[in-house]
Amino acid sequence: MEQQQEVVKGASLWRDAWKRLLKNKLAVFGLAVMIIMVVAVTVGPAIIRWTTGYTYDFIPPDGDLIKSFPPSLQHPMGTDDSGRDILARVLQGGRISLMVGVISTLVSLVVGVSYGATAGYLGGKIDNFMMRVVDIIYAIPYILLVIVLLSAFGGQNAPGWIQSISGALGSGQGLSQIILLFFALGLVSWLTMARVVRGQILSLKNQEFVMAARATGVSTPAIIFRHLVPNALGPVIVYATLTIPSVMLSEAFLSFLGIGVQAPFASWGSLAADGIKNISVFPWQLIFPGVTMALTLFSLNFLGDGLRDALDPQTRKF
Amino acid sequence: MNENGNTLISLRNLQVHYDLGGGTLVDRITGGSRVRRVVKAVDGVNLDIKRGETLGLVGESGCGKSTLGKAILRLTEPTGGQVFYGGKDLAHASSGEMREQRKNLQMIFQDPYASLNPRMTVGQIIAEPIRTFNLSNGGNVEAKVQDLMETVGLNRRFTKRYPHEFSGGQRQRIGIARALAVDPEFIVADEPISALDVSIQAQIMNLMERLQREKNLTYLFISHDLRAIRHVADRVAVMYLGKIVELGDAKTVYAEPLMPYTKALISAVPIPDPEIEAKRERITLKGDVPSPINPPSGCHFNTRCRYAIEDCRRIDPALVEIKPKHYAACIRISPERPHIDENDAAGLGAIGEGIPETEKRS
Amino acid sequence: MIETNGHILTVNDLRTYFQTEDGVVKAVDGITFTLAKGETLGIVGESGSGKSVTNLSIMRLIPEPPGKIVSGDIIFDGIDVRKLSIDDVRSIRGKRIAMIFQDPMTSLNPFLKISTQLMEVTELHLGHTKAQAHRHAVKMLETVGIPDAANRVNSYPHEFSGGMRQRVMIAMALSCDPELLIADEPTTALDVTIQAQILELIKDLKARMGTSVILITHDLGVVAGMTDKIIVMYAGKVFEQAPTRELFATPANPYTKGLLKSVPDPAHEEGTELYQIPGLPPDVAHLPPGCPFSPRCERAEDVCHREFPPFVQINENHWSLCHFAKEVYAESVRERAAANLSETQIESHPLA
């Protein structure tokens, strides 16, 4: 008779965390902005092209001397020196900036999590060696490393495989520079991720539930993937969310210096670099890309903080 | 210790030593580590656990009782000695063989909050050992999990719930259900009640006793709570700094402890009765348990023992059968003269058995 | 100044509530007691019973928000603690009321020497100079039985064992010669032999210094030998209040009775199954209507599930929160009389 009764569903920690996240106003704001931003940069450029005919690299043919117009109905964010629509460029730039952030973070996730988990689980001498390698890479100023990478392999010197990728995508040199940027930033941002994951695994592997799994004869891979990884995921997600803005900032910095994304491609950093030249005459050239980027970074940080509060098991305790 | 067919698990000279390396940093760099710092968490334990009994293991924190329990199940690697179970030496079994044996040997953990994976449902937690050993298939697993939950007194409909939705006592029941899932013969219960509320402790002790009767289980019940041990255990082993210092029938050990440490330990237990508390005389031990790194020579207890004589610092006492089936490790008592107070008053010195420290070294 | 009648502490109908996600948690809901000079009061309860919140309320240490002392009086030596400014409370805390916490591992600052931490208290409250404070610190460590105090006073906390740290905490608590010492689970984190040492020390110091003590614990064994009277708390309510001997001999509340029976006592059992209180500990945020213990109570009747029980006065010093307090008391008296036929039992107690 009792067998017929329905099984009571429980609330998983993930669902609890989601509920807690939704209670955090700033995090919800950040999440909403990010959703809007992602949608805008994905479909925005196509809509603009379809309604007004402008693209990010469209230079009007007329020969006006001053081509940079202030915001108007036709150009909501105005135009730049060459007369290109800034809204179209900001949206297109957002694509690149967000992609740099997301792809580099993915690279750092894959490399960092596997490296950190291996070191943490194996422990002992191997752990020691692997973490000393991380320490050494840490000691190299990473912006310098990226600059060296970009100037050594950028432009004409790009390795064949990167050129073939950008060739396949149908575009030339500008794109291979961007792909190089993805890898360069990703390869230096995994270090902290590796440390975060290793720390998590180290503390988890001494938890009693892992010992309980060993006591019931569960195999090592099952222990790692069923018991260790899901429990380490919380801090990893939080850290990844906070890595995106920091990578985006690095990209903006590099583009601002002129070694990152180059024209005709745009990123928020390169747009700001272009804008700052004319700040006293055409302030909108700096203000719009700058504000969009700041809003995005704020939102990501709010979201990251919100996730940390929501996923932190400490808040569970009354 | 006499062997008989009733013995389920035999420990022979079981050791767990942790090497902390050389003394100082300078020692390590120069390679001249004169003092090797070794923690002898379990230091040569001989013990027979009989089929169907509850053997209580008591001692203060740092005495090695938990390590001993984990070493039997190879959750901590023994560094020496043997663990015999079903004619096999578990301490030297291959990891595959050991995994196979885990069907018969299980563990219940102390912390009901840390011992359950917070990301898994209770059903998944209890089912994990069943799936690991392919003991049931498909829908049978779910049915078996529900039966187990009922056995330990949980609602069978709660299999899809997560550990944090249960109270401490309920979580401990989940831990017990997980241990029972493979139908083990032997369970190491490592402080199973010490993290629980008083009114819940009795529930868990009763549950464990009921399960023992129904499933003919053998327990090694590790606890620092002497009242609980006295209640659940058939025999008691008292541990001090890695060694068993007294072993015997639970009631006898409590009524007539032989070894001075056991006497002090039992007299320190507060009794929930003001009349008795007002009348009883306590033996208050001075000082703390010494560090297990380089423990005192001879009898480890000599630094806190009021009966300690010069020989105690020299001679490592052997665990001797002082009274029938009641063993103690103390050189100042012998089967002929089991009362240390009388022996002390009579001015007797070392009359018991011991291994001279010099011989042991070689 | 308020009339004290020789009482060092009077707590009257204290209520402390917490605002949580789950709604209002009535952590302490109406506790009343008096403590005479030199007396020891035990507060016994399980986790979530409100015993620690009571003590934090007396010290005005409730984090606000989420917590709040909603009503009640706390009169310490004629001073209404609730009306004091936080600065005035600070001048009482540590000087006239001192506290010892459960975990000696975390209640000392690991970065400061023992001497610094001990001297800080007396420099602040007694206006000691450095030299005076240092002498006093050494004297206090000697008082609590730390060997070689003059040298060890300059050690760091990690150089002490758990028991020694708890001694240091007691030395710190007593260094201003307080009139009231609140010990919140002082021995829970310690081993039995160390627990015996610490309890002996508190008893001894109390006798020498005449300090009043509130001892908060979950262990009935600890309060049995230490206290003059006991308060039993459950789900934020006082369930029973009585002089120690009377509470143990003739409890008038089913919860107290159950608690006493569920502790394995070598004297009163012989291979029998241990008595167990059924059910789960209360969820203080969602208490049932009626008596909070009714879902777990064996003798609960309809009225228990419906109506909140009265606080019945059994005799001058004995109260019980139960619809059937008088009946339970009468039953205990009968059982006691039956047991007294074998009074010699106490003499032959296996642990006595």
Side-chain angles (χ1 to χ4, degrees):
Chain A
M1 160 195 104
E2 258 198 280
Q3 248 122 348
Q4 260 70 54
Q5 278 178 304
E6 202 186 326
V7 169
V8 180
K9 267 270 187 193
S12 78
L13 287 182
W14 295 119
R15 218 171 68 186
D16 272 15
W18 179 244
K19 271 191 211 152
R20 271 198 298 277
L21 185 72
L22 291 185
K23 276 188 191 157
N24 184 335
K25 290 196 183 81
L26 275 180
V28 172
F29 167 78
L31 187 65
V33 170
M34 282 323 294
I35 291 171
I36 294 169
M37 202 63 82
V38 168
V39 171
V41 303
T42 339
V43 302
I47 292 174
I48 290 174
R49 176 187 244 161
W50 182 61
T51 50
T52 64
Y54 297 128
T55 59
Y56 68 98
D57 54 357
F58 174 74
I59 301 174
D62 47 17
D64 284 342
L65 277 176
I66 300 170
K67 287 170 186 146
S68 187
F69 295 107
S72 63
L73 265 182
Q74 202 179 1
H75 301 285
M77 290 186 181
T79 62
D80 72 357
D81 279 354
S82 319
R84 290 176 289 212
D85 180 47
I86 291 184
L87 178 62
R89 284 184 72 72
V90 164
L91 289 176
Q92 182 67 26
R95 266 189 192 182
I96 305 242
S97 284
L98 285 176
M99 259 164 72
V100 168
V102 171
I103 292 182
S104 303
T105 304
L106 282 180
V107 172
S108 90
L109 262 178
V110 172
V111 180
V113 170
S114 43
Y115 195 91
T118 314
Y121 191 74
L122 296 178
K125 287 202 174 96
I126 300 168
D127 175 38
N128 224 330
F129 173 75
M130 288 175 83
M131 290 332 276
R132 291 303 78 74
V133 170
V134 168
D135 288 344
I136 290 166
I137 304 178
Y138 244 120
I140 306 168
Y142 90 102
I143 283 290
L144 209 67
L145 190 71
V146 172
I147 292 174
V148 168
L149 272 174
L150 284 175
S151 39
F153 299 108
Q156 309 289 0
N157 307 326
W161 60 275
I162 288 187
Q163 287 188 354
S164 59
I165 294 177
S166 54
L169 289 171
S171 203
Q173 225 182 66
L175 200 60
S176 70
Q177 182 85 359
I178 292 168
I179 293 171
L180 194 62
L181 193 69
F182 290 165
F183 281 97
L185 285 173
L187 283 178
V188 291
S189 59
W190 64 271
L191 296 168
T192 316
M193 181 67 83
R195 284 191 167 173
V196 169
V197 173
R198 172 181 171 269
Q200 282 293 314
I201 300 289
L202 273 185
S203 69
L204 282 171
K205 100 178 163 178
N206 293 322
Q207 292 265 321
E208 274 191 349
F209 69 82
V210 176
M211 182 154 317
R214 282 173 56 205
T216 42
V218 178
S219 65
T220 308
I223 287 179
I224 297 180
F225 291 106
R226 213 179 301 153
H227 295 279
L228 290 176
V229 170
N231 282 289
L233 229 46
V236 169
I237 290 173
V238 172
Y239 187 69
T241 323
L242 296 174
T243 305
I244 298 175
S246 92
V247 173
M248 283 172 67
L249 213 54
S250 304
E251 179 275 330
F253 175 65
L254 291 169
S255 300
F256 194 82
L257 291 181
I259 44 174
V261 176
Q262 274 152 19
F265 290 98
S267 77
W268 289 337
S270 69
L271 286 174
D274 293 344
I276 202 143
K277 288 178 215 147
N278 307 318
I279 179 127
S280 51
V281 195
F282 314 123
W284 56 88
Q285 286 189 9
L286 177 66
I287 289 170
F288 289 108
V291 166
T292 319
M293 176 157 178
L295 188 66
T296 310
L297 296 186
F298 268 130
S299 304
L300 278 169
N301 279 315
F302 289 152
L303 187 60
D305 281 348
L307 280 171
R308 172 163 47 213
D309 293 345
L311 292 168
D312 188 353
Q314 287 308 111
T315 54
R316 275 222 63 79
K317 288 182 187 143
F318 163 63
Chain B
M1 256 161 283
N2 57 328
E3 283 275 0
N4 56 44
N6 238 352
T7 304
L8 184 70
I9 289 191
S10 289
L11 312 183
R12 286 291 167 269
N13 194 28
L14 189 68
Q15 294 178 335
V16 182
H17 292 183
Y18 299 108
D19 194 340
L20 300 181
T24 62
L25 190 63
V26 178
D27 280 340
R28 279 202 240 174
I29 292 166
T30 56
S33 59
R34 281 149 299 186
V35 202
R36 286 205 78 73
R37 302 200 303 152
V38 178
V39 177
K40 297 179 175 174
V42 177
D43 195 16
V45 166
N46 292 300
L47 195 60
D48 287 330
I49 303 170
K50 292 179 194 151
R51 198 177 290 276
E53 79 167 342
T54 300
L55 178 66
L57 186 59
V58 276
E60 297 180 90
S61 52
C63 72
K65 57 189 190 300
S66 254
T67 313
L68 177 61
K70 285 173 185 152
I72 296 174
L73 301 185
R74 287 272 298 274
L75 294 171
T76 295
E77 287 298 320
T79 48
Q82 291 100 33
V83 177
F84 290 107
Y85 167 72
K88 281 202 193 94
D89 177 13
L90 296 181
H92 296 93
S94 70
S95 62
E97 245 176 292
M98 193 58 219
R99 261 197 68 199
E100 205 48 41
Q101 293 300 333
R102 294 199 186 283
K103 253 189 290 197
N104 307 317
L105 312 165
Q106 278 296 314
M107 180 145 180
I108 300 170
F109 292 85
Q110 169 175 11
D111 186 344
Y113 291 87
S115 58
L116 305 175
N117 185 341
R119 307 273 171 201
M120 284 164 83
T121 65
V122 169
Q124 288 168 334
I125 289 171
I126 300 173
E128 189 171 46
I130 305 175
R131 295 213 160 104
T132 306
F133 291 110
N134 286 321
L135 296 180
S136 295
N137 47 359
N140 291 344
V141 176
E142 180 69 7
K144 180 146 195 218
V145 167
Q146 292 194 358
D147 288 344
L148 279 165
M149 289 187 67
E150 205 150 75
T151 311
V152 297
L154 290 167
N155 191 324
R156 61 189 302 143
R157 298 183 299 132
F158 287 168
T159 51
K160 290 264 165 62
R161 287 206 172 177
Y162 288 85
H164 67 262
E165 298 172 274
F166 294 89
S167 69
Q170 288 175 313
R171 284 158 164 255
Q172 200 57 293
R173 287 173 192 266
I174 297 167
I176 293 173
R178 168 176 58 194
L180 291 177
V182 291
D183 274 324
E185 256 191 305
F186 174 65
I187 294 182
V188 174
D190 187 4
E191 302 264 11
I193 57 165
S194 56
L196 304 175
D197 269 324
V198 186
S199 73
I200 306 301
Q201 291 185 350
Q203 292 180 2
I204 297 298
M205 278 193 273
N206 284 342
L207 172 67
M208 287 182 65
E209 290 190 314
R210 198 194 83 214
L211 293 169
Q212 178 168 43
R213 282 195 304 273
E214 287 172 7
K215 298 179 184 287
N216 194 25
L217 295 167
T218 305
Y219 289 134
L220 177 65
F221 193 101
I222 301 170
S223 180
H224 67 274
D225 184 341
L226 287 105
R227 289 181 303 217
I229 288 268
R230 165 68 168 68
H231 180 82
V232 298
D234 303 308
R235 288 193 306 150
V236 177
V238 182
M239 225 174 150
Y240 190 78
L241 283 179
K243 289 184 189 245
I244 305 257
V245 295
E246 184 150 356
L247 170 70
D249 180 70
K251 293 196 173 63
T252 332
V253 169
Y254 277 76
E256 301 154 29
L258 296 172
M259 148 90 196
Y261 175 63
T262 317
K263 282 177 193 268
L265 201 60
I266 286 170
S267 109
V269 182
I271 298 172
D273 190 330
E275 317 261 334
I276 296 169
E277 277 289 319
K279 281 177 194 158
R280 75 200 284 229
E281 252 182 74
R282 273 227 168 79
I283 309 167
T284 315
L285 283 181
K286 42 181 196 235
D288 296 314
V289 183
S291 158
I293 309 168
N294 305 324
S297 62
C299 171
H300 291 342
F301 184 58
N302 77 59
T303 51
R304 299 171 80 192
C305 183
R306 63 170 160 178
Y307 304 100
I309 51 173
E310 199 43 47
D311 282 339
C312 293
R313 282 177 259 286
R314 220 164 36 77
I315 302 170
D316 188 2
L319 194 62
V320 182
E321 186 163 8
I322 301 287
K323 288 180 178 176
K325 295 191 171 164
H326 189 167
Y327 305 78
C330 179
I331 54 164
R332 299 205 61 188
I333 50 177
S334 69
E336 293 76 36
R337 302 191 62 94
H339 298 292
I340 192 161
D341 280 308
E342 289 169 15
N343 298 353
D344 193 47
L348 291 172
I351 53 172
E353 284 177 52
I355 311 156
E357 191 73 357
T358 43
E359 272 180 40
K360 202 191 154 206
R361 279 275 163 80
S362 62
Chain C
M1 221 40 185
I2 304 161
E3 190 51 51
T4 58
N5 293 330
H7 291 137
I8 187 79
L9 182 71
T10 305
V11 171
N12 191 19
D13 198 32
L14 176 71
R15 287 166 203 273
T16 305
Y17 295 175
F18 283 84
Q19 193 70 48
T20 69
E21 282 179 23
D22 278 355
V24 175
V25 171
K26 298 178 177 177
V28 173
D29 199 17
I31 173 169
T32 301
F33 65 85
T34 56
L35 185 65
K37 288 202 170 88
E39 208 177 19
T40 303
L41 167 75
I43 302 184
V44 182
E46 299 179 80
S47 54
S49 63
K51 56 189 194 302
S52 287
V53 175
T54 305
N55 130 51
L56 293 176
S57 303
I58 295 168
M59 294 286 272
R60 287 271 302 273
L61 284 170
I62 295 291
E64 275 183 57
K68 190 165 172 42
I69 301 176
V70 190
S71 70
D73 304 313
I74 303 162
I75 314 290
F76 171 72
D77 197 24
I79 309 163
D80 188 345
V81 178
R82 275 194 71 200
K83 293 208 176 75
L84 291 183
S85 72
I86 206 71
D87 282 334
D88 291 339
V89 175
R90 274 199 203 106
S91 71
I92 292 182
R93 249 187 236 157
K95 186 181 180 198
R96 304 188 62 193
I97 308 179
M99 273 183 88
I100 317 171
F101 296 95
Q102 172 175 352
D103 193 350
M105 297 298 165
T106 56
S107 41
L108 285 169
N109 184 338
F111 290 101
L112 297 178
K113 282 181 186 170
I114 298 292
S115 58
T116 318
Q117 303 191 45
L118 277 168
M119 285 159 64
E120 198 176 53
V121 189
T122 52
E123 280 172 36
L124 178 71
H125 289 303
L126 302 181
H128 278 175
T129 62
K130 284 246 181 281
Q132 278 176 318
H134 195 270
R135 270 201 306 277
H136 192 72
V138 174
K139 200 187 95 198
M140 286 317 296
L141 289 188
E142 279 165 0
T143 313
V144 295
I146 290 183
D148 195 17
N151 287 319
R152 299 215 69 183
V153 72
N154 290 318
S155 320
Y156 286 89
H158 70 264
E159 296 173 67
F160 283 75
S161 66
M164 283 295 166
R165 274 187 238 196
Q166 198 60 298
R167 282 171 192 266
V168 172
M169 285 306 299
I170 294 173
M172 198 186 290
L174 295 180
S175 58
C176 294
D177 203 358
E179 289 134 272
L180 173 62
L181 175 69
I182 302 179
D184 191 348
E185 303 264 14
T187 58
T188 307
L190 305 174
D191 283 316
V192 263
T193 59
I194 310 298
Q195 165 171 290
Q197 291 174 2
I198 297 291
L199 292 180
E200 209 59 45
L201 174 68
I202 294 179
K203 228 193 259 181
D204 178 49
L205 292 173
K206 198 188 79 150
R208 274 195 301 182
M209 301 172 124
T211 318
S212 309
V213 178
I214 297 180
L215 182 66
I216 297 167
T217 179
H218 66 276
D219 191 335
L220 286 163
V222 169
V223 282
M226 292 284 295
T227 58
D228 301 309
K229 54 185 184 183
I230 293 178
I231 288 176
V232 179
M233 291 187 77
Y234 185 82
K237 314 276 189 303
V238 173
F239 261 54
E240 187 160 8
Q241 196 162 346
T244 303
R245 275 168 188 257
E246 185 164 340
L247 186 105
F248 279 93
T250 51
N253 193 291
Y255 174 61
T256 317
K257 281 192 90 163
L259 215 51
L260 283 170
K261 272 196 280 178
S262 67
V263 179
D265 178 3
H268 305 117
E269 49 127 348
E270 202 55 61
T272 51
E273 186 166 86
L274 203 55
Y275 175 81
Q276 66 180 55
I277 300 176
L280 304 175
D283 176 359
V284 199
H286 305 106
L287 288 179
C291 173
F293 186 60
S294 61
R296 303 176 70 187
C297 185
E298 275 183 349
R299 59 168 304 147
E301 294 178 19
D302 281 349
V303 61
C304 299
H305 299 292
R306 220 171 42 238
E307 279 168 43
F308 192 80
F311 201 42
V312 181
Q313 183 160 17
I314 307 289
N315 57 41
E316 197 193 344
N317 294 314
H318 193 166
W319 285 270
S320 165
L321 188 78
C322 182
H323 287 291
F324 303 102
K326 292 236 156 80
E327 287 88 332
V328 176
Y329 181 71
E331 192 184 293
S332 294
V333 170
R334 272 200 307 279
E335 284 168 11
R336 181 70 184 175
N340 267 354
L341 295 175
S342 53
E343 181 61 51
T344 47
Q345 229 180 23
I346 292 171
E347 308 300 331
S348 64
H349 190 289
L351 298 191

